[in-house]
Amino acid sequence: MTEKGGQISVNSVNEEIVIRKAETSDIPKLLAIYRPYVEHTAISFEYEIPSLEEFSGRMETILQTYPYLVAVSGVELIGYAYASEFKNRRAYDWSVETSIYVKQGQAGKGCGKALYLALETVLKQQHILNLNACITYTEHEDEYVDNNSMNFHKHMGYRLVGKFEKCGYKFGRWYDMIWMEKILGPHPARPEQVIPFCKLSG
């Protein structure tokens, strides 16, 4: 993994994937990637597609404090990942929730790994210590949910720390939700103050 003028370039199996900060002009493409997760899966528990304005507002809010990154292969935007607030209490400042979405047809090409490695690089610079992922889980995989997300996070060094049974209802079925966690570094007696991403990135 190398840095090139503010971008992060990662060589995948057969092509170069460039990771960079999300831009306003990316929003329609990001929403297009997210749309099938809402419409055709229970990976997202949303029922309706957010509007461009709502999606844009979410991204702008996140970017004030946390990284929001996109993966580009050639000229095609193929995925995105971001960190967001874990809980709205100051004691949780060193913890974040991580999220990732890869364009349909792009799984298994290194996009997800590249995005998460880049996300971790930035979060370490911010002095974030705990990464938490909220993931839909099912004992019996179906057309709406498999457990690939859980397996991906496990591969990336996350461990299972909690399970909430049948807490999400979508497509007429109940789904479990699990929390997985990854620790980025030791927890000192006096942690360094978290640096907002907007200040880190200039």
Side-chain angles (χ1 to χ4, degrees):
M1 185 168 62
T2 58
E3 295 186 8
K4 298 179 180 180
Q7 297 180 342
I8 299 175
S9 177
V10 181
N11 292 320
S12 64
V13 175
N14 56 10
E15 61 189 341
E16 186 177 76
I17 297 173
V18 175
I19 310 297
R20 61 167 174 78
K21 175 184 172 183
E23 302 172 351
T24 302
S25 59
D26 296 324
I27 291 173
K29 295 178 181 178
L30 298 178
L31 186 55
I33 290 174
Y34 183 58
R35 176 182 293 272
Y37 286 94
V38 176
E39 291 182 329
H40 306 300
T41 82
I43 293 172
S44 168
F45 278 173
E46 287 199 89
Y47 277 23
E48 298 179 358
I49 307 297
S51 66
L52 279 173
E53 292 75 17
E54 181 179 356
F55 196 87
S56 176
R58 294 179 187 180
M59 189 179 83
E60 291 174 2
T61 298
I62 289 169
L63 280 171
Q64 291 301 308
T65 310
Y66 304 108
Y68 202 121
L69 306 178
V70 301
V72 180
S73 176
V75 297
E76 185 181 9
L77 201 158
I78 60 173
Y80 66 99
Y82 58 88
S84 56
E85 184 178 71
F86 180 59
K87 288 286 185 179
N88 185 23
R89 296 289 186 272
R90 288 195 61 187
Y92 290 110
D93 280 359
W94 295 268
S95 299
V96 297
E97 182 176 347
T98 55
S99 300
I100 184 168
Y101 295 95
V102 174
K103 187 174 182 178
Q104 290 188 324
Q106 294 295 329
K109 298 182 180 180
C111 174
K113 181 178 180 180
L115 280 165
Y116 256 23
L117 288 176
L119 194 68
E120 289 178 16
T121 296
V122 178
L123 292 170
K124 286 178 182 178
Q125 294 173 1
Q126 292 185 260
H127 306 141
I128 298 294
L129 296 173
N130 289 44
L131 310 183
N132 303 281
C134 180
I135 300 166
T136 306
Y137 174 79
T138 179
E139 294 286 348
H140 306 286
E141 297 184 1
D142 58 28
E143 67 269 35
Y144 302 115
V145 173
D146 56 35
N147 290 321
N148 287 343
S149 182
M150 177 188 70
N151 294 328
F152 166 75
H153 282 82
K154 183 177 180 180
H155 179 73
M156 293 301 299
Y158 287 68
R159 66 183 182 93
L160 179 65
V161 292
K163 178 182 177 183
F164 296 83
E165 296 188 358
K166 295 180 173 60
C167 65
Y169 183 80
K170 191 172 181 180
F171 302 124
R173 303 177 189 182
W174 289 102
Y175 292 100
D176 299 337
M177 182 268 284
I178 60 173
W179 280 100
M180 299 186 74
E181 179 184 61
K182 182 175 183 177
I183 306 301
L184 289 183
H187 291 71
R190 293 183 179 274
E192 296 187 73
Q193 190 66 35
V194 172
I195 303 172
F197 180 69
C198 63
K199 295 183 179 179
L200 190 69
S201 63

